[in-house]
């Protein structure tokens, strides 16, 4: 019998032995209907939770007993869930694919930079509705440490909101009001590490063994040195090395990111249990999507880069199965910005056959799109995207152009070589180009994370600045501005038409440029990512209704994108697939979405600054007989057997 079959049999046996006891306990705690539903959910997900936890902790704990205590957390979560959230649970149990709808559009912002605080966000819901938003990701908002805190990714209390933003009650109210407007709230949960001022870390420093075991602490350099031999550095310049000597602790603490961010020890089942209970509390506050930060780093293995280890996936599978029992309305989203071959595994595409995250970032799409506009050539994108595996059913990508982090140029040697360029050379070109250091570059970004040992560097800058808007505005050049506006809209027209859930990063819809004021703040000055985390410019946003202005042009484009999605059912994720098409014009990215009922949608994006054409037969290849552009943002036309695309333009073609 294989290990997996044994595990499954063990899981079945454990549940058989417990079913009655749990049915009775649940029956006492909940009314009949709720109780039946919960028992059914436990039954449904028990094997997945069991197998994941057994493969992690069989040597540490009695697995069924450990799982019993997680079920206690599940039960108390269900008991504590409001009527409204229980109703949401039920709605989503019967419609588990609610988030795969073509109407989904996401928006990502910092509550303070967007609207002052959580209460302020309520006042801006109208603005989000104008953009067609159905999903709002608020950047880290749980109580961070004072001083430098990596943009909120160093949390001291996961059960409190950053006092500058409001309270847990404010968060609950906001979640409810958003829900009334059809908007799902997503927040960050920093699962990989805590701030060194978190109560667990303080107690570890005070010598409590229980809490020392929550972290990875070494008495001397022997093991840290051994690990360092194969560990990369995430912030080579800001926070070199992966271990920090901490005097009170009397040891070297594992700190992948900054010295004040202590990695948690997930080999310790107590850490898993703590984090699961935190997830449940957030679910009961009304958070609908939990963005699990830095998940690739959650498991360490000597001799590896300590990223994407199989156990990191088992941890997420365990969380996911238990969350589905406790709060079935809630989705898990992986923040895994990893090489293209490792991405889809976070959606559960691996050999355990167990679901993992519902959502994950399509980092590869983002990277190759910027590469395409820099080179005016879509072949690398076509090649790299064609190699990506399709996400498993019931899951999807979050597509995006920009986020709060730097852009790491995740282009493999293999993909680069297949299009005749060298991987390292191309990555260096992209860093130079987007820093504005390459002749003819339109971009005004900056380098981030320069590593003198490897020669690697990443890129900071807002989408508008990287797409050429900052340069055009500075030079006061209307032709350059036309191109830059088109370029930014082109990038968004691809991610809105690719499939998955497109994310608008705050300010892109009105073309906010780099904000250099972070240089005046000593806790931020060294981290150029702050240049693309500007404050919302509401005066500029006020011009969104004025057609001739930069803001008016962009905002109208974003609105059109959201509107076009709702009338393009090929963009539903439930039953459709996407694949790029190879064809003869290197300047045009072509992709086709196929839906069994609604047919095909062919996307064509001309990444060049001059007009381009592709053969109309491409429509036939995509399965279209009577092609018509449903996006209608650029004037394309078909003549002489070719589809003619204006400079930097996109069409979404379906059967008319
Ligand atoms: C995340 O990013 C956050 O998005 C960052 O803002 C944080 O600084 C960081 O975690 C630490 O909390 O390496 O360069 O594969 O790419 O976790 C950013 C995942 C990062 C990593 C990601 C990380």
């Amino acid at each position: 019998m294989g290990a997996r079959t044994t595990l499954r049999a063990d899981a079945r046996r454990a549940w058989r032995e417990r079913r009655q006891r749990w049915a009775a306990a649940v029956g006492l705690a909940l009314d009949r209907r709720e109780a039946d539903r919960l028992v059914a959910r436990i039954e449904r997900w028990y094997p997945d939770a069991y197998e994941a936890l057994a493969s992690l902790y069989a040597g540490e704990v009695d697995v069924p007993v450990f799982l019993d205590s997680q079920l206690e957390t599940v039960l108390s979560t269900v008991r504590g869930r409001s009527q409204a959230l229980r109703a949401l649970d039920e709605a989503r149990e019967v419609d588990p694919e609610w988030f795969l709808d073509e109407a989904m559009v996401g928006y990502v912002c910092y509550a303070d930079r967007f609207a002052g605080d959580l209460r302020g966000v309520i006042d801006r819901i109208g603005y989000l509705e104008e953009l067609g938003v159905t999903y709002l990701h608020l950047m880290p908002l749980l109580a961070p440490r004072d001083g430098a805190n990596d943009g909120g990714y160093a949390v001291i209390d996961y059960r409190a909101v950053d006092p500058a933003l409001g309270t847990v009650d404010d968060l609950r109210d906001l979640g409810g009001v958003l829900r009334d407007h059809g908007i799902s709230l997503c927040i960050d949960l920093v699962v990989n590490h805590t701030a060194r001022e978190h109560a667990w870390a303080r107690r570890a420093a005070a010598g409590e063994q229980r809490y020392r075991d929550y972290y990875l602490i070494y008495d001397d350099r022997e093991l840290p040195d051994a690990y360092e031999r194969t560990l990369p550095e995430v912030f080579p310049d800001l926070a070199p090395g992966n271990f920090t000597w901490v005097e009170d602790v009397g040891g070297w603490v594992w700190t992948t990111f900054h010295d004040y961010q202590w990695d948690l020890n997930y080999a310790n089942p107590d850490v898993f249990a703590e984090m699961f209970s935190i997830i449940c509390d957030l679910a009961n506050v009304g958070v609908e999507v939990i963005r699990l930060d830095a998940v690739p780093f959650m498991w360490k293995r000597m001799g590896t880069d300590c990223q994407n280890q199989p156990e990191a996936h088992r941890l997420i599978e365990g969380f996911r199965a238990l969350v589905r029992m406790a709060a079935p309305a809630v989705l898990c989203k992986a923040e895994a910005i990893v090489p293209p071959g490792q991405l889809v595994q976070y959606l559960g595409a691996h050999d355990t056959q167990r679901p993992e995250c519902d959502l994950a970032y399509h980092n590869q799409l983002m990277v190759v799109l910027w590469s395409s506009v820099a080179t005016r050539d879509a072949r690398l994108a076509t090649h790299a995207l064609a190699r990506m595996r399709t996400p498993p059913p019931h899951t999807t990508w979050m597509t995006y152009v920009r986020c709060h982090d730097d852009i790491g140029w995740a282009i493999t040697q293999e993909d680069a070589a297949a299009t005749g360029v060298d991987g390292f050379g191309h990555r260096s070109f992209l860093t130079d180009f987007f820093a504005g250091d390459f002749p003819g570059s339109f971009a005004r970004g900056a380098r981030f994370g320069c590593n003198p040992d490897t020669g690697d560097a990443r890129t900071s800058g807002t989408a508008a600045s990287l797409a050429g808007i900052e340069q055009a505005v500075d030079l006061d050049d209307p032709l350059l501005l036309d191109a830059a506006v088109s370029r930014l809209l082109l990038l968004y027209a691809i991610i809105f038409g690719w499939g998955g859930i497109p994310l608008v990063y705050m300010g892109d819809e009105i073309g906010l440029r780099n904000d250099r004021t972070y240089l005046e703040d000593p806790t931020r000055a060294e981290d150029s990512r702050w240049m693309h985390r500007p404050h919302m410019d509401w005066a500029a946003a006020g011009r969104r209704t004025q057609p001739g202005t930069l803001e008016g042009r962009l905002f109208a484009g974003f609105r059109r994108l959201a509107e076009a999605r709702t009338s393009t059912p090929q963009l539903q994720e439930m039953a459709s697939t996407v694949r790029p098409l190879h064809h003869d014009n290197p300047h045009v990215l072509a992709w086709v979405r196929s839906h069994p009922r609604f047919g095909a949608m062919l996307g064509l994006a001309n990444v060049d600054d001059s007009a381009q054409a592709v053969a109309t037969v491409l429509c036939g290849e995509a399965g279209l007989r009577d092609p018509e552009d449903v996006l209608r943002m650029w004037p394309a036309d078909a003549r002489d057997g070719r589809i003619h695309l204006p400079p930097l333009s996109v069409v979404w073609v379906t059967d008319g």
Side-chain angles (χ1 to χ4, degrees), residues 117-235:
D117 58 16
L118 295 180
R119 300 233 150 255
V121 174
I122 295 182
D123 301 332
R124 296 297 183 183
I125 290 178
Y127 180 82
L128 299 175
E129 286 182 322
E130 281 179 52
L131 281 169
V133 169
T134 60
Y135 163 108
L136 177 64
H137 172 194
L138 293 179
M139 297 303 295
L141 51 74
L142 301 179
R145 74 191 291 267
D146 287 339
N149 58 34
D150 190 25
Y153 288 96
V155 174
I156 56 166
D157 184 353
Y158 295 96
R159 290 187 168 86
V161 165
D162 180 349
L165 301 175
T167 63
V168 171
D169 285 333
D170 293 335
L171 184 60
R172 186 178 293 109
D173 291 349
L174 173 60
V177 179
L178 287 170
R179 200 166 310 115
D180 293 342
H181 286 83
I183 301 175
S184 293
L185 175 63
C186 168
I187 73 163
D188 280 86
L189 179 61
V190 189
V191 284
N192 178 68
H193 44 267
T194 72
R196 70 168 169 231
E197 293 80 7
H198 189 284
W200 303 334
R202 289 179 189 273
R203 295 176 76 166
E208 277 186 63
Q209 192 57 41
R210 176 181 165 90
Y211 292 99
R212 286 179 75 95
D213 292 342
Y214 276 34
Y215 298 94
L216 295 148
I217 300 172
Y218 305 91
D219 296 340
D220 55 40
R221 280 300 302 186
E222 192 187 332
L223 286 170
D225 284 340
Y227 278 114
E228 284 287 14
R229 265 174 231 131
T230 52
L231 279 176
E233 291 170 304
V234 178
F235 300 138

Side-chain angles (χ1 to χ4, degrees), residues 1-16 45-59 61-64 67 314 317 351-354:
M1 231 173 13
R4 203 159 162 251
T5 333
T6 320
L7 267 186
R8 183 119 302 209
D10 290 349
R12 290 229 176 84
R13 185 172 343 98
W15 179 241
R16 250 195 330 267
W45 297 109
Y46 191 92
D48 283 1
Y50 185 101
E51 290 173 28
L53 294 174
S55 48
L56 290 163
Y57 301 130
V61 293
D62 180 336
V63 176
L67 191 43
R314 302 298 84 81
E317 290 167 1
D351 57 7
T352 70
Q353 307 293 324
R354 283 190 290 274

Side-chain angles (χ1 to χ4, degrees), residues 8 29 116 121 126 152 170 238 269 300 307 403-404 443 449 472 499 515 531 571 647 655:
R8 183 119 302 209
V121 174
D170 293 335
L238 302 178
K300 325 294 186 193
Q307 290 181 45
C403 72
H404 71 293
D515 172 3
M531 77 196 297
L571 290 169
D655 264 330

